[in-house]
Amino acid sequence: MVDFVTIPASNHQTITLGFDSQTNFVLAEQIAKLIGAGVTAGTIVTEFDTSGTPTLPAGVTGAVVQTEAPLVTLPPGYTIDLVTKPGPAVVLDPAASGQIILSNVNTDLTFLGSGSGTVIAGGGDNRLSVDGSGSWSLYTGSGNDIILAVGAVNATIGAGAGDNAIVLGSGTDLITSTGNDSISGGTGAETVDASGASSDFVQANASKLLFIGGAGGTTILGGTGSDTYFGSAGSTGKQLITGGSAGNNFLFAGDGAATLVGGGNNDQLFAYGSSAQLLIAGSGNETLSAALSAGSDTVQAGSGNDQLIGGAGADTFIGGSGNATVTPGFGGQVFAFINHAAGGTELVQGIFDPSSIQIDLQGYGPNAIANALASQTVTNGSISITLTDGTKVTFQDVTSLNRSNFT
């Protein structure tokens, strides 16, 4: 569906622009009213590209109506371009502040800017590139778009329903994602609202990312920054989320299949919902929790000092090379160790029924269980076993293990 806005021209003609996005139509309608009021008051003068762009008197803003010209370079004083030309149309800005670019639904807009302002595309496949240090609002329609907001630009971006690529710089950015979007962060800070998106792929790079997920699938590759992820409480697509190496990542899965991977120190990872999810600790000291999950989750320790917390499902805890403290949940729990991938220490606390303990030894050889049972020692009312790769496991307030405790 296409909605249209009209703007009066200085020569008593009418300029009509169509928008295939309701959000863009509402924004364009507000801007059209302001332009129309300026034309009526004589503070804005419209000039069609077929008649040239004369010099403006002081205090007057020029608006180019781009009907035929494939390329327009806005001259001094002209900070508005209303693009009705069908097909490809290029606009080069005058590096001025407060620019306004509106394009029609059947225009494929290319805009190169370095000042500040607002670009609202009616539709088509658009290429928007802004740099410098200004503030920009960039909105595209349902086509397949490329949006570059690089340098120190602070951008508000509304990517449309198509397949979009967004590249960011060192500024502070707000992105509303509604399509299939690929987002590349820079060194700044970005907030991505993907609650209405089809799917998103994010390379966080050195940025500080806040991502709010929706019903679509999400892949986030953390870089050298710190990342925060909130999945949707509704049904979601697959989620693969890795935190940044700067640590202090907060990753909270939504419903559905999810893999969360820590990236640095002081990360917090949370499983959620009823689907089986995977939490993997990074190299720092991390907290991995399935306490809010009813699924059969897998929680894997890393090389740091980790806290592993179970939930209501039948969870599996995989030992790492660091020091892990495990608090199981209320489902059937499995404590798994992989030869040469473990090697650390693990303290399991909160066991109320020793017969519920299930230990899975992988890759330790045919005598692994017998060797583990033979290594049992009891200290201060808690039993420990030592595996052949040096892994030491202690079950607090448990005094004996037998063959039935091994899978």
Side-chain angles (χ1 to χ4, degrees), residues 248-265:
N248 295 304
N249 299 291
F250 184 94
L251 310 179
F252 197 110
D255 281 333
T259 297
L260 308 183
V261 183
N265 198 39

Side-chain angles (χ1 to χ4, degrees), residues 301-302 304-306 308 319-326 337 342-348 385 390-394:
N305 299 320
D306 300 323
L308 311 183
S321 59
N323 305 309
T325 299
V326 180
F337 302 91
T345 65
E346 186 166 301
L347 170 64
V348 181
I385 59 174
T391 301
K392 182 176 181 180
V393 188
T394 299

Side-chain angles (χ1 to χ4, degrees), residues 125-294:
D125 298 329
N126 306 287
R127 308 292 181 264
L128 311 181
S129 177
V130 294
D131 61 13
S133 58
S135 295
W136 285 92
S137 295
L138 308 171
Y139 293 89
T140 57
S142 60
N144 302 321
D145 307 305
I146 298 175
I147 302 173
L148 281 68
V150 294
V153 165
N154 298 317
T156 299
I157 298 173
D163 299 330
N164 308 301
I166 301 169
V167 179
L168 306 171
S170 61
T172 300
D173 307 304
L174 171 62
I175 300 100
T176 300
S177 173
T178 56
N180 300 304
D181 296 336
S182 176
I183 302 171
S184 179
T187 59
E190 61 261 6
T191 297
V192 180
D193 178 2
S195 55
S198 298
S199 67
D200 288 277
F201 175 81
V202 181
Q203 292 179 297
N205 295 318
S207 67
K208 184 176 182 180
L209 171 69
L210 168 58
F211 190 99
I212 301 169
T218 303
T219 298
I220 298 176
L221 304 181
T224 58
S226 295
D227 306 315
T228 298
Y229 170 76
F230 290 97
S232 170
S235 177
T236 65
K238 292 183 178 179
Q239 306 157 74
L240 171 59
I241 315 297
T242 64
S245 61
N248 295 304
N249 299 291
F250 184 94
L251 310 179
F252 197 110
D255 281 333
T259 297
L260 308 183
V261 183
N265 198 39
N266 295 324
D267 295 340
Q268 299 181 66
L269 281 60
F270 294 87
Y272 180 80
S274 58
S275 297
Q277 298 182 337
L278 172 61
L279 309 182
I280 302 175
S283 59
N285 303 327
E286 309 198 359
T287 299
L288 284 64
S289 176
L292 301 177
S293 170

